[in-house]
């Protein structure tokens, strides 16, 4: 394993990764359906277990399909003071990469050069001893980071205040809720003066107010010149916090560069999820399915443009009559990142369906979505029960048009979900002070 700390060479680089790889052997468990087989298996278990443990340390390329590369061939550098976002699908290798960089697990191949003290928050309660109190764990974590007791004393009150769990600071960690563990863990990681802060999606466990508080603290840490690695599926947080971004897929970095471009590629890759089948053929649906969506079209298949009327035609098949069916159509910029919802309940619309085929028309007088591609989710419910739900039921492309009469076409802005109304601009004259 080739991880090391460097004190010379390029002082502007906080983390340097070269040909980094991590592989695992996927284990299998032998089972027997007979009593005799179970007895023999029990007697032979020590020998089989020894062979299994030995085989996990032996990796001969191509020997069988049990070898899995979680990450492979990674090459990148993170500069001091940089906030690097890392995005990608579940299973892309993001968390494995962070565990290697945090020295939780050693790499199989390649080299990691780290310049600076690293503080990580990867899983709820990581680095905490359940039998120790919150106070004891703060001091233990600080000591692991190489801080003196005096340095921890100076930060202790600030850590407790930020975490918001002062009342429970003398309670053993094993009695904390997941949210309380996250609060204290992040507070410790962010306040004990790390030079490199590594944060995984674990912040999603906290409530909304604490998430915003954490993002503000990370922004403060970054502006203080420290380095931050941030893994998240929250694209708005990545856009607002990060200065550069990596896109990972199948254990490799497929793009490294500007945050908008990286997120755009990630969203584009998500656009085809689940769109290979007709709605009638889709089996990845939820609900009791007394009513099932069988089709959806926009403007009878004609082009859709921003800020113009749009007609949405839904076809559904019902097993029984429902007098008051609730329908929701959700538009997302990427996988489940909803930006607009049309809900019949909000419009006090009464939709009745009869057994067999039914058609439902939704007329939108002014579709104020910015130009671009959107995923469409469909939901149907009766009372409080979901009867059918399909994620990524369709893909809608919204075209650009001269909304303002200026001869210019509106484009997607950084966060833009809607096209703003036409505004009147005028010069109010000079202001004298």
């Amino acid at each position: 394993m080739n991880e090391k700390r460097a004190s010379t060479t390029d002082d502007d680089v906080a983390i340097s990764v070269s040909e980094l790889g991590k592989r695992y052997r996927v284990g299998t468990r032998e089972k027997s359906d007979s009593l005799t087989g179970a007895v023999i298996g029990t007697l032979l278990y020590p020998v089989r277990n020894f062979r299994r443990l030995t085989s996990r340390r032996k990796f001969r390329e191509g020997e069988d399909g049990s070898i899995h590369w979680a990450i492979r061939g990674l090459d990148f550098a993170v500069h001091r003071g940089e906030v690097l976002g890392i995005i990608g699908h579940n299973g892309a290798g993001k968390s494995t990469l962070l565990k290697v960089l945090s020295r939780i697990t050693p790499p199989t191949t390649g080299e990691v050069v780290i310049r600076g003290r690293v503080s990580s928050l990867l899983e709820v309660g990581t680095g905490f001893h359940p039998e120790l109190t919150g106070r004891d764990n703060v001091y233990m974590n600080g000591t692991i980071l190489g801080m003196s007791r005096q340095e921890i004393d100076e930060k202790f009150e600030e850590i407790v205040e930020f975490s918001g769990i002062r009342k429970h600071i003398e309670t053993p960690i094993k009695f904390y809720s997941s949210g309380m563990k996250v609060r204290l863990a992040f507070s410790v990681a962010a306040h004990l003066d790390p030079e490199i802060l590594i944060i995984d999606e674990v912040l999603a466990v906290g409530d909304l107010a604490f998430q915003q508080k954490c993002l503000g603290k990370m922004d403060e840490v970054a502006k203080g010149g420290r380095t931050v690695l941030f893994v998240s599926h929250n694209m708005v947080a990545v856009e607002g916090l990060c200065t550069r971004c990596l896109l990972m897929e199948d254990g490799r970095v497929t793009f490294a560069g500007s945050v908008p471009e990286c997120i755009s590629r990630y969203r584009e890759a998500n656009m085809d999820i689940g769109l290979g089948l007709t709605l009638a053929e889709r089996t990845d649906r939820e609900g009791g399915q007394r009513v099932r969506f069988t089709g959806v079209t926009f403007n009878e298949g004609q082009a859709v443009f921003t800020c113009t009327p749009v007609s949405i035609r839904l076809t559904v098949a019902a097993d029984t009559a429902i007098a008051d069916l609730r329908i929701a159509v959700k538009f997302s910029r990427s996988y489940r990142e909803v930006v607009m919802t049309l809900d019949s309940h909000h419009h006090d619309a009464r939709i009745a369906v009869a057994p067999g085929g039914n058609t439902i028309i939704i007329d939108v007088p002014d579709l104020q979505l910015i130009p671009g591609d959107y995923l469409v989710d469909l939901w149907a419910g009766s009372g409080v029960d979901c009867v059918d739900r399909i994620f990524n039921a369709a893909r809608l492309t919204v075209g650009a048009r001269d909304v303002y009469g200026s001869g210019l076409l509106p484009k997607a802005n950084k966060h833009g979900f809607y096209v703003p109304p036409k505004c009147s601009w005028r010069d109010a004259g000079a202001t004298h002070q």
Side-chain angles (χ1 to χ4, degrees):
M1 197 260 292
N2 305 305
E3 180 187 343
K4 62 183 180 181
R5 287 184 176 273
S7 56
T8 58
T9 68
D10 187 1
D11 291 333
D12 185 49
V13 177
I15 300 175
S16 178
V17 172
S18 176
E19 289 298 321
L20 189 65
K22 178 66 179 181
R23 62 185 170 185
Y24 298 95
R25 184 181 296 279
V26 181
T28 58
R29 184 176 179 179
E30 299 176 4
K31 296 182 179 180
S32 177
D33 295 330
S34 66
L35 177 61
T36 302
V39 172
I40 294 175
T42 301
L43 294 176
L44 295 178
Y45 178 78
V47 176
R48 288 177 176 173
N49 190 51
F50 175 77
R51 290 176 178 173
R52 187 179 297 114
L53 292 174
T54 303
S55 70
R56 289 178 181 176
R57 295 191 292 267
K58 296 179 180 178
F59 291 95
R60 292 192 300 274
E61 201 64 39
E63 64 176 15
D64 56 44
S66 66
I67 295 177
H68 171 67
W69 285 90
I71 55 175
R72 191 169 191 174
L74 302 187
D75 287 285
F76 63 89
V78 185
H79 295 274
R80 294 190 185 279
E82 186 173 32
V83 184
L84 180 69
I86 304 176
I87 62 177
H89 302 293
N90 290 333
K94 306 183 299 297
S95 295
T96 300
L97 171 60
L98 296 193
K99 287 177 181 178
V100 172
L101 297 180
S102 302
R103 300 186 294 279
I104 293 174
T105 185
T108 304
T109 62
E111 180 179 76
V112 177
V113 180
I114 301 174
R115 301 178 179 87
R117 185 165 55 199
V118 178
S119 183
S120 307
L121 182 56
L122 307 182
E123 296 177 10
V124 177
T126 298
F128 281 168
H129 193 295
E131 300 295 334
L132 298 181
T133 66
R135 177 186 294 272
D136 294 336
N137 273 285
V138 171
Y139 279 89
M140 181 180 72
N141 273 262
T143 302
I144 292 173
L145 286 174
M147 300 183 69
S148 67
R149 185 178 182 87
Q150 180 179 351
E151 289 176 303
I152 303 173
D153 286 339
E154 294 172 355
K155 292 285 185 178
F156 184 79
E157 286 301 317
E158 189 177 350
I159 290 171
V160 175
E161 183 64 29
F162 186 92
S163 68
I165 60 166
R166 182 179 297 277
K167 179 180 178 180
H168 307 281
I169 198 65
E170 305 297 346
T171 302
I173 290 290
K174 64 182 180 181
F175 297 117
Y176 282 21
S177 67
S178 295
M180 292 167 63
K181 289 178 183 177
V182 167
R183 284 175 171 270
L184 185 59
F186 179 85
S187 190
V188 169
H191 286 83
L192 289 182
D193 291 330
E195 294 168 281
I196 301 171
L197 179 61
I198 298 178
I199 303 291
D200 204 344
E201 191 66 56
V202 67
L203 290 183
V205 177
D207 56 45
L208 181 60
F210 187 70
Q211 289 180 37
Q212 296 301 320
K213 193 175 180 181
C214 290
L215 292 173
K217 183 61 180 179
M218 282 192 285
D219 193 34
E220 177 185 325
V221 167
K223 289 178 179 177
R226 284 175 280 180
T227 307
V228 179
L229 272 66
F230 182 49
V231 167
S232 180
H233 291 288
N234 185 336
M235 296 300 104
V236 175
V238 172
E239 284 179 320
L241 184 68
C242 301
T243 55
R244 193 165 65 93
C245 201
L246 301 182
L247 176 60
M248 293 190 65
E249 184 176 346
D250 296 328
R252 299 179 183 273
V253 173
T254 58
F255 177 80
S258 71
V259 176
E261 176 66 16
C262 191
I263 291 177
S264 176
R265 294 186 181 217
Y266 175 63
R267 285 173 170 154
E268 184 63 29
N270 277 297
M271 283 294 177
D272 295 326
I273 296 176
L275 296 179
L277 302 173
T278 66
L279 293 191
E281 297 171 329
R282 293 278 293 271
T283 59
D284 56 331
R285 56 209 308 158
E286 302 174 8
Q289 296 176 29
R290 288 181 293 153
V291 172
R292 298 174 303 282
F293 291 106
T294 57
V296 54
T297 59
F298 301 88
N299 281 356
E300 300 292 339
Q302 300 301 309
V304 174
F305 293 93
T306 188
C307 293
T308 59
V310 174
S311 178
I312 304 173
R313 181 186 182 92
L314 302 174
T315 55
V316 300
D319 294 337
T320 59
I322 298 179
D324 189 4
L325 183 69
R326 180 176 175 180
I327 298 288
V329 182
K330 299 184 178 182
F331 299 84
S332 306
R333 290 186 66 194
S334 64
Y335 187 60
R336 302 192 189 182
E337 186 186 344
V338 178
V339 297
M340 189 179 79
T341 299
L342 303 176
D343 192 322
S344 62
H345 178 71
H346 296 159
H347 295 91
D348 197 26
R350 308 291 178 178
I351 300 174
V353 294
N358 297 263
T359 300
I360 301 166
I361 304 294
I362 307 170
D363 290 316
V364 182
D366 188 8
L367 185 69
Q368 293 194 356
L369 287 174
I370 61 173
D373 292 325
Y374 295 86
L375 291 172
V376 181
D377 302 337
L378 301 178
W379 181 92
S382 177
V384 296
D385 298 325
C386 170
V387 295
D388 196 22
R389 171 185 285 163
I390 303 181
F391 291 108
N392 302 350
R395 177 174 177 170
L396 173 66
T397 297
V398 178
R401 59 182 289 269
D402 186 4
V403 177
Y404 309 115
S406 62
L408 302 175
L409 299 180
K411 296 181 180 179
N413 55 48
K414 187 175 181 181
H415 304 292
F417 301 147
Y418 308 97
V419 173
K422 186 174 182 178
C423 303
S424 175
W425 296 74
R426 61 191 177 89
D427 186 350
T431 299
H432 300 284
Q433 297 182 353

